[in-house]
């Protein structure tokens, strides 16, 4: 018996038999890694993308634990979107085919509330849903979670991106602390560590093997002596590499604004961030860059310090850093999480001494710039576009209301919604650029929480 055989696990015979009838012959890597810990009742953090078999990993965990005779909600799965919740529910139903009378209920925003109340009155063993709607049921006391023994946070990073942190915290408060908690996430931003601290007990962390940063950052150095040369080098590099997210470092505030303005003049989706902007402008620039609707952010080191943005495709040093530590810190913002990153540094003859302090081999630093042909190519549009809604926390708007307002009839699919950020008096939501007009129309025609809000595209 190999360690990837499902029979090596202590599963209920009915569950095991059904797996072979589903054609699941051996465990996928995430299942083999996580199932022993899940079945022994431990809290687990797993790195699982869609397609890895993570649903069956937590699904078998919750079905093994379930007492079908006790007709009450014993398991809850929180998902970022309705599409994912539907997928999870159907996989759970397939895994549970051999258990009679098991009831899996989905509770998602964008669907009418009334029928959900009816279904809840009939009872369910497992609830799968999106945070906003589940919290609404808890507030209205149409759902009770006092008998839940296992909580699953699926695609936790996406739920946090969509602004569901507070909502998730409120849901967790209603679940007994004796529960088992499983968290799956494709990435591990700091916020995942925060939520793991609050919601999980001594979790077993199953990480994908770490990749060394040095191996994944490709550095280039380009000699540019005049201001004009520097600017056209920047345009060439952006035009050639077509990054979805690039951070350009300048050494002064006024340079960041000039460079961003000039890039925007040439059609790049670029913004500056520096200390002279007011808080709202700063927040807006950060939100648009981190939600993928602006692809170039031009910053000083100080302004970039608070930036919590992962997985940049590219870092460009428009001005070379003053010392080695700053340089390493700048370029370390790309090539994370096993991805490949590109770091380009522009320098002048007078700045070659700075390269020495970076421990760079001076005989090998003048990389050729991309061909000028790239300047004639169309500039890549960001995949996402930001909608700004003139309503926020003060108007009691929550991420779930915005998801609900965008999806459903004549709306857009939940997986076309990106980050949602709700501030005091306004909210920002990123949607796929190709569907932005549909999204705008839907949210303008429909009310959010019974009220009409002004919505516009930020461009
Ligand atoms: P998921 O990553 O959970 O979305 O699952 C991806 C697909 O793999 C689903 O269609 C599952 O039905 C299928 N699957 C999950 N586990 C196994 C397994 N051990 N063997 C074969 N297929 C599997």
């Amino acid at each position: 018996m190999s360690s990837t055989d499902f029979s090596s696990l202590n599963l209920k015979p009915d569950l095991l038999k059904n797996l072979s009838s589903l054609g699941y012959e051996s465990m996928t890597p995430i299942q083999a890694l996580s199932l022993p810990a899940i079945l022994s009742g431990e809290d687990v953090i797993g790195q699982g993308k869609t397609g890895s078999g993570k649903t069956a990993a937590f699904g078998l965990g919750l079905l093994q634990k379930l007492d079908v005779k006790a007709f009450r909600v014993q398991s809850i799965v929180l998902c970022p979107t309705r599409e994912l919740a539907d997928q999870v529910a159907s996989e759970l139903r397939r895994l549970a085919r051999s258990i009679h009378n098991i009831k899996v209920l989905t509770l998602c925003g964008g669907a009418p509330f009334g029928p959900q109340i009816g279904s809840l009155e009939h009872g369910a063993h497992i609830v799968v849903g999106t945070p906003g709607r589940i919290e609404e049921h808890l507030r209205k006391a149409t759902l009770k979670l006092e008998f839940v023994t296992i909580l699953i946070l699926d695609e936790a990073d996406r739920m946090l991106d969509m602004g569901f942190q507070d909502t998730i915290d409120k849901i967790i408060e209603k679940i007994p602390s004796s529960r088992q908690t499983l968290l799956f996430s494709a990435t591990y931003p700091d916020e995942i560590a925060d939520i793991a601290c609050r919601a999980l007990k001594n979790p077993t962390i199953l990480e994908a093997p770490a990749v060394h940063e040095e191996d994944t950052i490709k550095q280039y150095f380009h000699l540019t002596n005049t201001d004009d040369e520097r600017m056209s080098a920047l345009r060439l590099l952006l035009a050639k590499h077509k990054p979805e997210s690039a951070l350009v470092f300048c050494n002064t505030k006024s340079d960041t604004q000039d460079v961003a303005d000039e890039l925007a003049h040439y059609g790049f989706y670029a913004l500056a961030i520096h200390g002279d902007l007011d808080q709202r402008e700063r927040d807006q620039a950060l939100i648009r860059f981190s939600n993928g609707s602006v692809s170039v952010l031009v910053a000083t080191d100080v302004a970039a310090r608070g930036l919590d943005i992962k997985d940049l495709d590219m870092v460009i040093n428009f001005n070379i850093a003053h010392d080695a530590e700053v340089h390493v810190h700048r370029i370390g913002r790309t090539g994370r999480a096993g991805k490949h990153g590109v770091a380009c540094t522009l320098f002048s003859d007078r700045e070659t001494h700075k390269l020495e302090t970076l421990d760079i081999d001076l005989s090998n630093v003048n990389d050729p710039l991309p061909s000028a042909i790239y300047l004639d190519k169309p500039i890549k549009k960001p995949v996402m576009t930001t909608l700004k809604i003139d309503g926020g926390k003060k108007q009691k708007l929550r991420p779930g209301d915005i998801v609900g307002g965008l999806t459903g009839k004549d709306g857009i699919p939940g997986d076309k919604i990106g980050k949602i950020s709700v501030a005091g008096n306004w909210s920002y939501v990123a949607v796929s650029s190709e569907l932005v007009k549909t999204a705008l129309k839907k949210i303008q025609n429909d009310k959010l929480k019974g009220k009409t809000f002004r919505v516009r595209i930020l461009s």
Side-chain angles (χ1 to χ4, degrees):
M1 188 169 64
S2 105
S3 60
T4 59
D5 278 354
F6 282 106
S7 51
S8 67
L9 304 166
N10 206 7
L11 283 170
K12 291 177 190 167
D14 281 351
L15 283 176
L16 199 57
K17 225 167 47 207
N18 182 42
L19 286 174
S20 51
S21 82
L22 286 173
Y24 294 11
E25 277 159 16
S26 56
M27 289 187 256
T28 65
I30 181 105
Q31 291 164 355
L33 260 177
S34 64
L35 269 166
I38 292 176
L39 294 174
S40 68
E42 288 168 42
D43 282 4
V44 167
I45 298 180
Q47 188 161 32
K49 296 195 177 81
T50 300
S52 59
K54 68 184 158 79
T55 318
F58 66 69
L60 290 170
L62 67 81
L63 291 170
Q64 174 83 356
K65 231 179 168 150
L66 198 84
D67 175 4
V68 74
K69 288 193 213 82
F71 200 34
R72 52 197 189 196
V73 178
Q74 297 167 49
S75 324
I76 175 155
V77 185
L78 296 181
C79 302
T81 65
R82 181 162 57 167
E83 286 79 4
L84 186 66
D86 287 339
Q87 276 172 36
V88 167
S90 65
E91 174 80 354
L92 292 179
R93 289 188 186 108
R94 275 148 47 85
L95 292 168
R97 287 195 301 197
S98 56
I99 311 174
H100 290 296
N101 297 325
I102 198 160
K103 185 89 198 335
V104 181
L105 183 65
T106 52
L107 296 177
C108 297
F113 202 80
Q116 293 183 347
I117 300 179
S119 304
L120 280 165
E121 279 167 357
H122 281 101
H125 296 100
I126 302 167
V127 164
V128 184
T130 49
R133 183 54 62 94
I134 290 193
E135 201 243 330
E136 210 173 335
H137 279 289
L138 288 173
R139 251 183 307 123
K140 295 188 172 148
T142 43
L143 170 67
K144 295 221 159 58
L145 299 178
E146 74 234 59
F147 297 114
V148 166
T149 58
I150 181 163
L151 161 70
I152 288 114
L153 303 168
D154 194 12
E155 298 203 2
D157 48 353
R158 279 211 71 205
M159 290 200 281
L160 297 182
D161 273 356
M162 292 171 86
F164 281 131
Q165 174 139 353
D166 294 348
T167 314
I168 293 172
D169 283 342
K170 282 192 193 132
I171 296 169
I172 290 175
E173 267 173 34
K174 304 279 190 217
I175 304 176
S177 57
S178 56
R179 68 173 187 271
Q180 180 182 12
T181 310
L182 312 178
L183 180 153
F184 287 85
S185 184
T187 59
Y188 283 102
D190 294 344
E191 300 81 48
I192 293 284
D194 285 353
I195 200 156
C197 271
R198 291 198 304 275
L200 278 73
K201 283 185 295 285
N202 195 17
T204 303
I205 302 174
L206 306 170
E207 272 184 89
V211 179
H212 248 290
E213 277 182 5
E214 288 90 330
D215 301 335
T216 58
I217 303 174
K218 182 102 186 82
Q219 284 209 70
Y220 299 93
F221 295 87
H222 305 285
L223 182 64
T224 50
N225 272 319
T226 64
D227 287 352
D228 282 351
E229 272 176 31
R230 205 174 276 255
M231 195 62 217
S232 58
L234 175 61
R235 286 170 55 206
L236 281 170
L237 291 168
L238 291 171
K240 164 150 197 243
H241 292 280
K242 298 189 178 58
E244 278 177 20
S245 59
L247 191 53
V248 176
F249 282 100
C250 294
N251 288 347
T252 68
K253 285 189 239 180
S254 66
D255 271 358
T256 59
Q257 193 63 57
D258 292 348
V259 168
D261 290 348
E262 185 128 358
L263 286 175
H265 168 76
Y266 285 108
F268 289 93
Y269 295 78
L271 288 175
I273 180 161
H274 52 75
D276 287 350
L277 299 176
D278 66 33
Q279 190 64 37
R280 192 180 59 94
E281 291 168 315
R282 218 186 110 85
D283 288 350
Q284 195 164 304
L286 288 181
I287 286 169
R288 291 174 70 188
F289 184 58
S290 66
N291 72 17
S293 65
V294 161
S295 33
V296 185
L297 192 68
V298 189
T300 55
D301 289 300
V302 177
R305 207 174 282 157
L307 260 182
D308 184 25
I309 294 170
K310 310 294 185 298
D311 296 340
L312 293 177
D313 296 331
M314 192 173 187
V315 167
I316 301 178
N317 293 311
F318 186 78
N319 302 119
I320 190 167
H322 291 305
D323 65 56
E325 202 183 323
V326 174
H327 179 80
V328 168
H329 193 244
R330 284 179 176 185
I331 68 164
R333 290 176 173 273
T334 182
R336 288 194 184 168
K339 293 202 180 164
H340 289 279
V342 174
C344 300
T345 300
L346 308 180
F347 69 100
S348 65
D349 280 328
R350 282 191 303 146
E351 286 167 330
T352 39
H353 69 279
K354 288 195 188 166
L355 289 176
E356 285 171 50
T357 66
L358 303 182
D359 251 350
I360 305 293
D361 175 4
L362 285 178
S363 62
N364 192 20
V365 291
N366 193 4
D367 291 304
L369 281 162
S371 146
I373 295 174
Y374 284 104
L375 293 184
D376 298 328
K377 307 238 178 225
I379 287 162
K380 189 174 162 197
K381 271 192 161 183
V383 284
M384 304 303 279
T385 298
T386 300
L387 291 176
K388 179 176 182 229
I389 304 168
D390 282 0
K393 285 190 183 141
K394 297 212 175 105
Q395 290 72 32
K396 305 232 175 335
L397 266 193
R398 279 179 305 223
D401 303 321
I402 297 171
V403 175
L406 286 167
T407 53
K409 189 171 176 301
D410 298 329
I412 64 170
D415 61 2
K416 300 289 176 193
I417 304 177
K419 280 195 183 199
I420 299 178
S421 319
V422 180
N425 283 310
W426 46 78
S427 309
Y428 302 91
V429 51
V431 298
S432 284
S433 297
E434 84 263 14
L435 289 176
V436 66
K437 295 220 170 90
T438 315
L440 181 68
K441 227 190 241 158
K442 166 83 174 155
I443 210 161
Q444 277 174 338
N445 290 342
D446 285 16
K447 295 184 170 173
L448 289 178
K449 305 198 83 177
K451 274 186 254 162
T452 310
F453 291 96
R454 206 170 87 96
V455 188
R456 65 193 169 90
I457 296 173
L458 291 186
S459 56

